[in-house]
Amino acid sequence: MLPEDTKAWAALALRNLPQSALVELLRAFGGPADVLSATAAKLRNVVADPIASRVTAQVDEAVLARAHAWLEVPGHRLVAWGDPHYPQALLALGHSPPVLYYVGNPDLLNARSLAIVGSRSATAQGTDNARAFASALSDAGLVIVSGLALGIDGAAHEGALNARAGTLAVVGTGLDRVYPARHRDLAHRIAARGGLLSEFAPGTPPRDFHFPQRNRLISGLSQGVLVVEATLHSGSLITARYAGEQGRDVFAIPGSIHSPLSKGCHKLIREGAKLVETAQDVLEEMGLALPAPGLQSATGAPMSEGAVLDALGGDPVDVDTLVDRTGLAADEVIVQLTRLALEGDVASLPGGRWQRRK
Amino acid sequence: MLPEDTKAWAALALRNLPQSALVELLRAFGGPADVLSATAAKLRNVVADPIASRVTAQVDEAVLARAHAWLEVPGHRLVAWGDPHYPQALLALGHSPPVLYYVGNPDLLNARSLAIVGSRSATAQGTDNARAFASALSDAGLVIVSGLALGIDGAAHEGALNARAGTLAVVGTGLDRVYPARHRDLAHRIAARGGLLSEFAPGTPPRDFHFPQRNRLISGLSQGVLVVEATLHSGSLITARYAGEQGRDVFAIPGSIHSPLSKGCHKLIREGAKLVETAQDVLEEMGLALPAPGLQSATGAPMSEGAVLDALGGDPVDVDTLVDRTGLAADEVIVQLTRLALEGDVASLPGGRWQRRK
C-alpha cells in the first residue's frame, strides 16, 4: 500500500496548480492531504475561486488509479517537494513541479550534472560527438541529463550510460509510455543503471506542449547545457534559452558554415554561449578542470532544515512565523517542513500550523 | 627624373627611424630633405646620438639606386606621409611607416576595406570560403586586403580581383620580388586591377621578421579582419591580435572541432571574435548591411588640413605653435604640413618653421 502522503501529493499534483497558489495553500493548511480535505469555503479564503474549484474538482479516478498502480511497482517512486531526494537545483528556480515520477538511482537527482541536447536528425559526426563528450564528462563526474529523443539525446545517454557518473533521462510523457518507441530498450537500460524522470503522471501521452516544459526541467536540473548539433528551429535552442534564463552555462559545438545542423549552435555562440571543442573545455568553463575525486551526491546547496527546526521552538506556529524567524522564502520553508514531517521530526496541525515532535 | 622630395622620403625611410624620432626631426627641421641636410650637431640637439648617427650614416647607394630605378617605372609610386593618397587608417594608428611603395589604383588606399587572411595550407573548403566571402564582400563595396600568401590569402585576392571594389595585396618583400614565386601571375593581375603595396624598399628579400610587420599593416589598413582557416600557430592569429589592439573588428569562420585548421578560428571566437557564417553577417557587424551605393574612396576621417592652414596665419611658425593653435597631435600636424607643401600651399623654412604661400 502506498503511504497516504504519496497519494495526496500525486492527487494534488494532478490539479496542476500554479506554484504560487500551491505554496499559499500549503502555507495555510499544512500538508497536501490537508489541502485536499479543506472545504471550498476555506480554500476560497486563501486562493482565487478558479484555483479553489480546481482543488475541489473531481479528478479522473482512472488516472489516479493508474498513477497508484505505477507507484506500487518496486523501484518506482514519487519524489515530492518534501522528499530529501527532490532536486535542490529545481527548488532554487522557483517554478519546480511539486512531484516527479522517477525510476532509478535517486542519488542522481542531486548530483552535479550537465545536459547534452541536440537535433533529432543529427549527422553521424554529431552523434559521435555527443557520445564522446557524454562519455568523457560522465567519467569526469558529471551526470549527463538529456531528453531521450532520437539523434543527439539518445547518443548522449548511450555515451554516459556505462561511464562513471551515469545519465538521467527527462521525458515529456508518463513513464509507462516510452517515447519514441525506438528508444524502448535504451529507456530500460537507463532505468536500470541511471534514472528516468517525468513530471507527468503515468499514462500521459506525448503532447507537443509538454516538450518545452520538459526542456525547462532538463536545463533546470543541470549546471550547464551543451548543444551538440541544432538547426535554427530545434527545440534545443529552447532548452538553451531556459538555461540562460536560469543562470546555467550554455555550451555549443561549432561546425561547418554550410551545415544546417550547425546553424543553431552558431547562433547560440553569437549570443554568448561558450564555443567548446573538447570535454576538457567544458570542465574548465565549469571550474572542474580535473576529474572530480568521486561522484558528487549533492549540489552543496545550503540545507535549511536545521534553521527551520530551530525556529519551530516548542509551540505550534504557522509558516509565516517561520518565514519571519528564519528569513527564508515561504516555499523553501514549506519544502523543509514537508521534508521534516516525512522524517518524523515535525507534525502538521489543523490551521496550517506546525509543531516539533522531538 | 624623380622629384627631389620623393628621393628624400625614400632615403629618409631607409634610415628606419622610430616614428617618434622621425616626428621630432620633421618638427625641428621641416621636410625630409631638410632633415637629411641637417648637420650632425643640429640633429643631436633634437634626437639621441644613435638616432642622429643613423640619419647621417651613409646608406647603400646601390639600394637607393634600385629604389629610384623602380620608382622611375610608370605606374610605380612612393606614397609618403605627405601624400594625399597615404592611408588615413594607418595615420590614425600612430605607428605608420613613413613611405609605402605602391603599384596600382591609389584610390584603393583610402577605400573602405576588409582583410581576409588565413592558413597557407588551407583545405579546399577553406579556399572556397575565402573566394566566396571575398567576392561577395568586394561586390558589397569593401576592398579586400590580404598578404599574397598561398592558401587563404591567394584565394581571397582571386575572389575579389574581378569583383566591384577589388583587392589590395600587402607584401613583406620589395615589390620587385614577388613572394611566393607561385603567385607571380596573381601579383601581376592584382597590380593591374587592384593594388600591390610594401613598406619595404625594392630589392628587400623575404625575411621572417618582416612578416609580422606586414601583418600589422594588413590589419591597420582594414576596418576589420576575417580569419577563414587557421591553425593555432598561424600568422593569421598575429594579424587578428593586431586588429584587436588597433580597434578593428575581428571575424572568424567556424568549422569542425576535429579540423586543426579550425582551431585558430575557434580560439579567436572564444576570445571575442565574431563568428560569421555569411558575407552578410560581416556586413551587418560592420554596420553595412546593404551593399554600399558606390565604391567609397575615402574613410571619411576628418581632414585637418583646413585647420592647419588657418592656424598658420601670416608669419612663419614652428610645429609646436601649430600644435598649440590646432589642438592636433604633432605627427598629424606634420603630415598635414607635408601634404600642404606638396600642394604648393605652404613652404618649409630653415629652423623647422612653416609659412603660407597664399
Side-chain angles (χ1 to χ4, degrees):
Chain A
M1 279 298 292
L2 293 175
E4 287 306 312
D5 202 53
T6 299
K7 288 186 188 171
W9 273 117
L12 192 55
L14 282 178
R15 267 71 180 185
N16 206 14
L17 303 177
Q19 164 146 358
S20 57
L22 187 54
V23 167
E24 285 307 310
L25 290 167
L26 290 166
R27 179 179 212 158
F29 298 103
D34 304 309
V35 173
L36 289 170
S37 62
T39 63
K42 286 195 167 173
L43 291 169
R44 281 196 296 267
N45 286 337
V46 178
V47 289
D49 288 7
I51 300 284
S53 305
R54 268 156 77 179
V55 177
T56 54
Q58 283 294 103
V59 296
D60 189 332
E61 284 301 324
V63 170
L64 209 49
R66 186 161 182 170
H68 291 176
W70 187 87
L71 286 167
E72 298 275 7
V73 177
H76 291 187
R77 61 172 85 206
L78 189 87
V79 181
W81 273 357
D83 192 309
H85 286 118
Y86 194 93
Q88 292 280 326
L90 290 184
L91 286 180
L93 294 181
H95 54 251
S96 54
V99 308
L100 303 171
Y101 291 86
Y102 191 70
V103 202
N105 173 3
D107 289 340
L108 268 56
L109 290 169
N110 278 295
R112 203 173 262 173
S113 62
L114 177 82
I116 299 185
V117 297
S119 183
R120 287 190 298 275
S121 53
T123 66
Q125 183 63 68
T127 54
D128 281 356
N129 288 344
R131 205 174 290 112
F133 273 78
S135 174
L137 291 167
S138 177
D139 273 341
L142 292 169
V143 172
I144 303 303
V145 182
S146 196
L148 199 65
L150 298 176
I152 298 299
D153 285 19
H157 290 304
E158 290 280 5
L161 199 52
N162 295 317
R164 183 154 146 258
T167 190
L168 201 56
V170 183
V171 303
T173 64
L175 287 184
D176 53 350
R177 305 183 60 134
V178 171
Y179 178 85
R182 219 190 298 171
H183 277 173
R184 166 178 293 271
D185 171 64
L186 176 61
H188 282 281
R189 285 182 288 134
I190 293 171
R193 303 181 58 98
L196 205 55
L197 180 154
S198 178
E199 64 183 293
F200 304 105
T204 307
R207 289 200 198 285
D208 279 354
F209 62 92
H210 283 169
F211 288 94
Q213 203 170 329
R214 187 272 314 259
N215 290 355
R216 195 164 64 172
L217 213 52
I218 290 176
S219 57
L221 277 164
S222 310
Q223 274 86 76
V225 171
L226 168 63
V227 182
V228 176
E229 272 190 340
T231 64
L232 288 173
H233 309 291
S234 169
S236 307
L237 299 198
I238 297 174
T239 311
R241 203 183 61 215
Y242 288 141
E245 290 168 3
Q246 292 162 345
R248 307 319 196 213
D249 287 320
V250 181
F251 306 103
I253 295 180
S256 166
I257 57 172
H258 304 291
S259 165
L261 281 160
S262 290
K263 290 200 186 300
C265 291
H266 293 163
K267 180 171 190 283
L268 290 174
I269 292 167
R270 274 201 287 248
E271 291 171 358
K274 281 146 191 155
L275 182 157
V276 290
E277 292 179 304
T278 63
Q280 193 62 26
D281 288 345
V282 175
L283 294 172
E284 278 172 19
E285 289 285 352
M286 293 179 80
L288 304 169
L290 296 172
L295 175 59
Q296 302 290 322
S297 65
T299 58
M303 302 292 272
S304 39
E305 284 173 30
V308 171
L309 202 57
D310 288 348
L312 269 169
D315 295 321
V317 292
D318 61 12
V319 172
D320 291 328
T321 305
L322 292 171
V323 167
D324 287 346
R325 288 185 186 168
T326 60
L328 299 171
D331 47 359
E332 192 166 355
V333 168
I334 286 169
V335 163
Q336 301 308 339
L337 283 172
T338 53
R339 180 169 297 176
L340 289 164
L342 279 166
E343 290 162 7
D345 293 334
V346 304
S348 79
L349 305 178
R353 289 177 308 150
W354 297 77
Q355 188 167 30
R356 286 181 81 122
R357 281 188 145 162
K358 37 183 155 180
Chain B
M1 278 299 289
L2 292 176
E4 286 307 313
D5 203 53
T6 298
K7 288 187 188 172
W9 273 117
L12 191 56
L14 282 178
R15 267 71 182 185
N16 207 14
L17 303 177
Q19 165 147 359
S20 56
L22 187 53
V23 167
E24 285 307 311
L25 290 168
L26 290 166
R27 181 180 212 157
F29 299 102
D34 304 309
V35 174
L36 289 172
S37 61
T39 63
K42 285 196 167 175
L43 290 169
R44 282 196 294 269
N45 285 339
V46 177
V47 290
D49 287 6
I51 301 283
S53 304
R54 268 156 76 180
V55 177
T56 53
Q58 282 295 99
V59 295
D60 188 332
E61 284 301 324
V63 170
L64 208 52
R66 188 161 180 171
H68 290 176
W70 188 88
L71 287 166
E72 298 274 6
V73 177
H76 292 188
R77 61 173 85 206
L78 188 88
V79 181
W81 273 358
D83 193 308
H85 286 119
Y86 194 92
Q88 292 280 323
L90 290 184
L91 286 181
L93 295 180
H95 54 249
S96 54
V99 307
L100 302 173
Y101 290 86
Y102 191 71
V103 201
N105 174 1
D107 288 341
L108 268 56
L109 290 169
N110 277 295
R112 202 174 260 171
S113 63
L114 177 83
I116 298 185
V117 297
S119 182
R120 287 190 296 274
S121 54
T123 67
Q125 183 64 67
T127 52
D128 280 356
N129 288 345
R131 207 174 289 113
F133 274 77
S135 173
L137 291 167
S138 176
D139 273 340
L142 292 169
V143 171
I144 303 303
V145 180
S146 196
L148 199 66
L150 297 176
I152 299 298
D153 285 20
H157 289 304
E158 289 280 4
L161 199 52
N162 294 315
R164 185 155 144 256
T167 190
L168 201 57
V170 183
V171 303
T173 64
L175 287 184
D176 53 351
R177 303 182 62 131
V178 171
Y179 177 85
R182 217 190 299 170
H183 275 172
R184 167 178 290 272
D185 171 65
L186 176 61
H188 281 283
R189 284 182 290 133
I190 293 172
R193 304 180 56 97
L196 205 56
L197 179 154
S198 177
E199 63 183 292
F200 303 105
T204 307
R207 290 201 197 285
D208 278 354
F209 61 91
H210 282 168
F211 289 95
Q213 203 171 330
R214 186 271 315 259
N215 290 355
R216 194 164 65 171
L217 213 52
I218 289 176
S219 58
L221 276 165
S222 310
Q223 274 88 75
V225 171
L226 168 64
V227 182
V228 176
E229 272 189 339
T231 65
L232 287 174
H233 309 290
S234 170
S236 307
L237 299 197
I238 297 175
T239 311
R241 202 183 63 215
Y242 289 141
E245 290 168 3
Q246 293 163 344
R248 310 315 196 213
D249 287 320
V250 182
F251 308 101
I253 295 179
S256 167
I257 58 172
H258 305 289
S259 166
L261 281 160
S262 290
K263 291 201 186 300
C265 291
H266 294 163
K267 179 170 191 283
L268 291 174
I269 292 167
R270 274 202 288 250
E271 292 171 357
K274 281 145 192 157
L275 181 157
V276 290
E277 293 180 303
T278 62
Q280 192 63 27
D281 288 345
V282 176
L283 294 173
E284 278 171 18
E285 290 286 351
M286 294 180 79
L288 307 168
L290 296 173
L295 174 59
Q296 302 289 321
S297 64
T299 57
M303 300 294 270
S304 38
E305 284 173 31
V308 171
L309 202 56
D310 287 349
L312 270 169
D315 295 321
V317 291
D318 62 12
V319 172
D320 292 327
T321 305
L322 291 172
V323 167
D324 288 344
R325 288 184 186 169
T326 60
L328 299 170
D331 48 359
E332 191 165 356
V333 168
I334 286 168
V335 163
Q336 301 310 339
L337 283 172
T338 52
R339 181 168 297 176
L340 289 163
L342 278 166
E343 289 163 5
D345 292 335
V346 305
S348 78
L349 306 177
R353 288 177 308 148
W354 296 78
Q355 188 169 28
R356 286 180 79 124
R357 282 190 144 164
K358 36 184 155 178

